[in-house]
Amino acid sequence: MKIIVGLGNPEEKYIKTFHNMGYIAVGDVAAKLNVKFKKKECESFTAEANIGGEKIILARPVTYMNNSGRAVKQLLSRYKASAEDLVIIYDDYDIPKGSVRIRPSGSAGTHNGMRSVIAEIGTSAFVRIRVGIRDSMVDIPIINYVLSEVRKEDYELFISACNRAADAAIALAKGEAIESVMTKYNG
């Protein structure tokens, strides 16, 4: 089993913001697996897929970014899963825009949503897929930047990055080794 969670904010006004890269990418996973987010459980909208006999739960928490850990903890409990079964996709201001980085574990960095997840589940030993959003040409406070809309000239770059993040999540769900996925999709 894998639980793939895309972090973001649930309101319409946040849909095209940098902070919703996780929501967008997990939506891409759902589209590629031909499933829809139909169910509301564990403070999340969820979809269920099956890959080679393995159950895959896709989730978009509705707790807002800073409380994402609450929903993740509930999902792990509901599906009797462990952190080893978890893949979190999220935006990361610490890496350049349009890049994708997969890691088997790590710190939260500057990301409050990840701080919440780590605090709630009590470990940082889970796979994370980060979509880079930092633009060295923009000089505004991080909170203002992450909640701003992606500029039109960058739209295709971020669509491509979210698509690569989705492909990486699917590869992990299929049982591909993390090292192989990192080699293929990091960059």
Side-chain angles (χ1 to χ4, degrees):
M1 157 172 266
K2 285 285 183 222
I3 298 176
I4 302 171
V5 180
L7 300 187
N9 289 310
E11 285 183 68
E12 186 82 21
K13 67 182 180 181
Y14 296 114
I15 287 176
K16 294 180 180 178
T17 65
F18 292 104
H19 231 9
N20 268 30
M21 293 297 131
Y23 260 35
I24 294 166
V26 81
D28 290 347
V29 173
K32 289 169 185 278
L33 297 178
N34 201 27
V35 296
K36 297 204 180 307
F37 291 90
K38 294 180 182 173
K39 200 173 184 182
K40 188 166 183 198
E41 62 181 343
C42 305
E43 296 187 80
S44 302
F45 285 108
T46 62
E48 188 174 318
N50 190 299
I51 297 178
E54 286 289 318
K55 183 188 277 193
I56 311 299
I57 301 299
L58 307 178
R60 286 175 164 163
V62 296
T63 54
Y64 290 88
M65 186 62 81
N66 292 352
N67 294 310
S68 297
R70 238 177 34 219
V72 172
K73 184 177 182 178
Q74 291 173 44
L75 287 161
L76 291 176
S77 176
R78 160 83 173 82
Y79 289 99
K80 296 174 180 41
S82 71
E84 293 172 1
D85 304 313
L86 185 60
V87 176
I88 305 275
I89 309 173
Y90 64 102
D91 64 285
D92 195 332
Y93 186 81
D94 296 330
I95 58 177
K97 69 180 181 179
S99 58
V100 173
R101 299 245 176 97
I102 298 109
R103 294 286 181 265
S105 63
S107 74
T110 60
H111 203 281
N112 289 333
M114 287 300 287
R115 283 189 190 120
S116 172
V117 170
I118 291 167
E120 287 285 343
I121 69 171
T123 183
S124 62
F126 55 87
V127 174
R128 68 266 334 268
I129 301 173
R130 303 178 299 159
V131 176
I133 63 167
R134 186 184 72 239
D135 186 336
S136 59
M137 303 303 288
V138 176
D139 187 27
I140 61 175
I142 292 175
I143 187 64
N144 295 3
Y145 182 74
V146 299
L147 294 176
S148 64
E149 282 196 15
V150 172
R151 292 180 307 280
K152 287 180 183 162
E153 62 267 22
D154 289 334
Y155 191 73
E156 290 302 320
L157 176 68
F158 285 105
I159 292 298
S160 175
C162 287
N163 193 48
R164 284 194 328 275
D167 287 342
I170 291 169
L172 290 163
K174 288 180 175 177
E176 197 168 324
I178 183 78
E179 295 79 12
S180 171
V181 175
M182 288 168 60
T183 299
K184 254 190 235 179
Y185 297 102
N186 276 353

